[in-house]
Amino acid sequence: MPEEAMEDLVADVFARACTSRLVLEAVGGKWGTLALAALAEGTYRFNALRRRVDGISEKMLSQTLQTLERDGLVRRDVVATIPPRVEYSLTELGTRVSAKLIELIELVEGEMPAVRKAQAEYDAR
């Protein structure tokens, strides 16, 4: 499909073939959400980001960053030093998306007492 025709398409995440579904999956998945939220704190080198996102494997972080970079949410900058240094940061779009994710994270964290109560009630039934 020509690029001009693709720009005219309306994104509908509920439509099976809509590419917005793949972007939502990358952003809304556990590792994408955590990587974007961490990068909202500032620029990270790969290993520092891996330490920040506790539990992610090197391979999964690499795949996650590649996907987010392809979707225009993450910027990968190679700094010309010896040895070369790679830094990751958010694009303007990534900053907007991460702000919404951080709101969700803060909501969930703040409601954990209610969640634990609901879990205990459910488990008791």
Side-chain angles (χ1 to χ4, degrees):
M1 181 176 291
E3 191 171 322
E4 300 82 34
M6 289 184 68
E7 290 178 11
D8 293 338
L9 293 177
V10 176
D12 179 3
V13 76
F14 292 101
R16 181 184 334 187
C18 186
T19 56
S20 65
R21 229 184 233 200
L22 295 174
V23 176
L24 182 63
E25 183 180 326
V27 168
K30 173 174 56 175
W31 301 125
T33 297
L34 293 174
L36 289 168
L39 288 169
E41 301 168 352
T43 299
Y44 275 92
R45 292 177 66 182
F46 185 87
N47 284 325
L49 183 58
R50 191 164 73 115
R51 285 189 298 275
R52 179 68 178 115
V53 181
D54 191 27
I56 192 169
S57 70
E58 188 173 319
K59 179 181 177 185
M60 185 54 65
L61 179 57
S62 179
Q63 289 174 351
T64 298
L65 290 170
Q66 286 175 358
T67 300
L68 296 173
E69 182 183 7
R70 182 175 184 266
D71 292 341
L73 301 166
V74 169
R75 180 179 304 106
R76 179 182 184 271
D77 291 313
V78 179
V79 180
T81 58
I82 298 174
R85 192 172 76 227
V86 179
E87 297 179 337
Y88 295 90
S89 60
L90 295 177
T91 63
E92 184 180 322
L93 175 59
T95 299
R96 292 197 317 271
V97 170
S98 69
K100 300 295 183 185
L101 293 172
I102 290 167
E103 285 181 39
L104 178 60
I105 289 167
E106 290 172 349
L107 174 65
V108 169
E109 289 177 340
E111 295 297 333
M112 283 312 297
V115 169
R116 282 192 288 275
K117 181 178 183 239
Q119 290 171 338
E121 290 171 357
Y122 181 90
D123 292 345
R125 287 186 258 155

